[in-house]
């Protein structure tokens, strides 16, 4: 039995005939251009729906626009990044833009492959979430396509940035724990040695904020940082190290909620309880943090708002490639829950 012949692609000419209007009128409606009456727009939209017409991305690219936005996520397992993605897709819901995702895998080579693929496919703009690539590489990407970077504290005249005030967020956690009476407050950080990333990445800013806040509360001698990774495995390993200390901490500030997941696992495995034996606080206020059986104290850095701001900046830059770059820094808030309480001793 022969396979059915492929269905012929519906064209703008088919839409025009079905709607009994000119192809110029259809083009105006598709571009949301001036000169198409509400009645004509309704007629064309009805024809598009009835015929199942889809604009040809390749043809659009030849005209200078594909209506696609590329989003690079460093780690699809981190539950915070979907919060940003929701903000991006929600802001584009009433536009013609479509979001296409690419995994950066927390590596410069993987990020380069993803960004080059997005550039090669003529995407109108790119959002890079917590990229680890060098400043020079980010500027190279931004020179080729309008770019917004989320989660990097550096600035550039070539791309816009959206960040959280990570130092303030860390201060909120330490202040909360110190206010409960904790003095031995440890921090699990993401291991980093590259000087540029140490200056710009949020994990480094949170570690700096932790140290500053500990000093401000007179707890400098109790500063204790374990550097692993911003993963559940990193949190588990970091907690195992901390729990073997001769004077183990009474509270742990995990640099991300996904890290706190690993901490909770290690604490339970050791036969201890949260917050009875160890208070735990995270960062990101992800969906699982609010899950009743977990009820994790966490810092809300407004992932949705990050995504919305990134879209606003990106659309502005698509419209005007030469406008001055913008930096948006959001103020975090602390959400106390049941994983933190006064120390038992």
């Amino acid at each position: 039995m022969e396979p059915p012949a492929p269905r012929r692609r519906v064209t703008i000419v088919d839409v025009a005939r079905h709607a009994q209007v000119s192809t110029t009128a259809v083009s105006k409606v598709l571009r949301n251009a001036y000169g198409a009456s509400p009645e004509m727009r309704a007629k064309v939209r009805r024809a598009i729906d009835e015929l199942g017409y889809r604009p040809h991305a390749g043809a659009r690219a030849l005209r200078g626009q594909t209506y696609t936005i590329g989003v690079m996520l460093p780690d699809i397992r981190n539950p915070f990044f979907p919060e940003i993605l929701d903000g991006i897709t929600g802001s584009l819901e009433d536009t013609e833009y479509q979001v296409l995702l690419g995994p950066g895998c927390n590596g410069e080579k993987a990020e380069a492959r993803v960004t080059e693929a997005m550039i090669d496919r003529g995407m109108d703009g790119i959002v890079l979430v917590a990229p680890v690539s060098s400043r020079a590489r980010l500027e190279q990407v931004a020179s080729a396509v309008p770019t917004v970077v989320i989660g990097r504290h550096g600035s550039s005249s070539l791309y816009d940035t959206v960040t959280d005030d990570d130092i303030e967020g860390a201060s909120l956690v330490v202040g909360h724990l110190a206010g409960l009476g904790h003095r031995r407050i440890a921090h699990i950080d993401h291991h980093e040695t590259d000087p540029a990333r140490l200056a710009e990445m949020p994990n480094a800013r949170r570690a700096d904020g932790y140290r500053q806040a500990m000093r401000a509360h007179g707890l400098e001698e109790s500063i204790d940082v374990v550097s692993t990774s911003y993963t559940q495995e990193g949190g588990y390993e970091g907690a195992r190290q901390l729990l073997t200390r001769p004077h183990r901490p009474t509270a742990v500030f995990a640099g991300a909620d996904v890290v706190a997941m690993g901490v909770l696992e290690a604490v339970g495995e050791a036969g201890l309880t949260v917050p009875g034996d160890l208070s735990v606080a995270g960062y990101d206020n992800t969906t699982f943090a609010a899950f009743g059986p977990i009820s994790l104290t966490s810092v809300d850095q407004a992932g949705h708002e990050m995504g919305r701001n990134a879209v606003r900046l990106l659309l502005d830059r698509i419209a005007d490639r030469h406008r001055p770059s913008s930096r948006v820094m959001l103020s975090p808030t602390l959400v106390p829950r049941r994983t933190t309480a006064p120390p038992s001793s």
Side-chain angles (χ1 to χ4, degrees), residues 10-345:
V10 177
T11 69
I12 192 173
V13 175
D14 298 320
V15 174
R17 288 173 179 166
H18 193 78
Q20 297 182 330
V21 298
S22 67
T23 55
T24 300
V26 176
S27 178
K28 285 183 178 181
V29 173
L30 291 173
R31 291 182 289 111
N32 198 27
Y34 176 78
S37 67
E39 294 78 10
M40 181 173 292
R41 290 181 187 278
K43 187 184 294 187
V44 171
R45 289 294 178 191
R46 187 164 54 250
I48 287 172
D49 291 341
E50 291 173 356
L51 295 177
Y53 170 75
R54 298 288 303 157
H56 194 287
R60 280 185 159 190
L62 291 174
R63 295 195 297 269
Q65 223 170 347
T66 61
Y67 291 95
T68 53
I69 300 295
V71 177
M72 189 282 294
L73 296 178
D75 184 356
I76 59 175
R77 295 169 298 180
N78 188 319
F80 174 61
F81 296 132
E83 303 286 333
I84 295 176
L85 185 59
D86 281 349
I88 292 173
T89 55
S91 295
L92 293 171
E93 190 173 11
D94 295 327
T95 74
E96 291 192 72
Y97 285 100
Q98 177 65 48
V99 172
L100 299 179
L101 301 180
C105 303
N106 285 311
E108 292 191 44
K109 289 184 178 180
E111 283 186 8
R113 285 196 298 270
V114 168
T115 54
E116 286 166 7
M118 291 176 175
I119 293 169
D120 290 345
R121 283 156 180 78
M123 295 189 181
D124 296 334
I126 295 177
V127 177
L128 303 177
V129 180
V132 298
S133 297
S134 66
R135 172 86 64 84
R137 172 59 189 167
L138 297 179
E139 291 187 333
Q140 184 181 9
V141 172
S143 296
V145 62
T147 300
V148 174
V149 175
I150 296 179
R152 283 280 289 259
H153 287 273
S155 62
S156 170
S157 62
L158 298 180
Y159 56 81
D160 305 300
T161 60
V162 180
T163 60
D164 168 62
D165 189 342
D166 293 291
I167 290 179
E168 172 62 18
S171 177
L172 291 173
V173 175
V174 173
H176 168 68
L177 294 171
L180 291 172
H182 293 277
R183 297 190 60 80
R184 297 196 304 276
I185 304 168
H187 176 55
I188 299 179
D189 181 27
H190 180 87
H191 179 67
E192 185 60 76
T193 58
D194 181 85
R197 291 201 287 267
L198 282 171
E200 297 186 359
M201 294 298 284
N203 51 284
R205 290 293 180 99
R206 289 172 201 171
D208 287 345
Y210 159 78
R211 293 185 179 93
Q212 292 176 25
M214 290 290 282
R215 295 187 189 102
H217 286 277
L219 303 176
E220 183 172 5
E221 293 184 358
S222 298
I223 290 175
D224 189 357
V225 178
V226 173
S227 293
T228 55
S229 64
Y230 269 12
T231 62
Q232 184 170 344
E233 294 79 8
Y236 177 81
E237 177 58 33
R240 280 173 56 94
Q241 293 182 38
L242 291 170
L243 293 176
T244 62
R245 299 278 202 260
H247 299 285
R248 74 182 185 215
T250 61
V252 172
F253 165 31
D257 283 358
V258 67
V259 178
M261 291 173 64
V263 174
L264 296 176
E265 180 183 2
V267 171
E269 188 178 274
L272 302 174
T273 63
V274 174
D277 297 300
L278 187 75
S279 283
V280 179
Y283 205 110
D284 293 334
N285 197 34
T286 52
T287 302
F288 99 87
F291 182 53
I294 297 174
S295 190
L296 176 70
T297 293
S298 186
V299 173
D300 188 349
Q301 59 170 327
H304 282 78
E305 196 63 28
M306 282 185 162
R308 285 193 290 268
N309 274 278
V311 167
R312 175 178 59 81
L313 294 174
L314 188 61
L315 295 183
D316 286 348
R317 184 155 294 279
I318 290 171
D320 181 4
R321 291 293 301 274
H322 303 292
R323 70 170 182 79
S325 62
S326 298
R327 297 178 64 188
V328 173
M329 181 179 286
L330 302 178
S331 297
T333 57
L334 182 74
V335 184
R337 296 193 179 94
R338 292 199 305 272
T339 57
T340 53
S344 57
S345 59

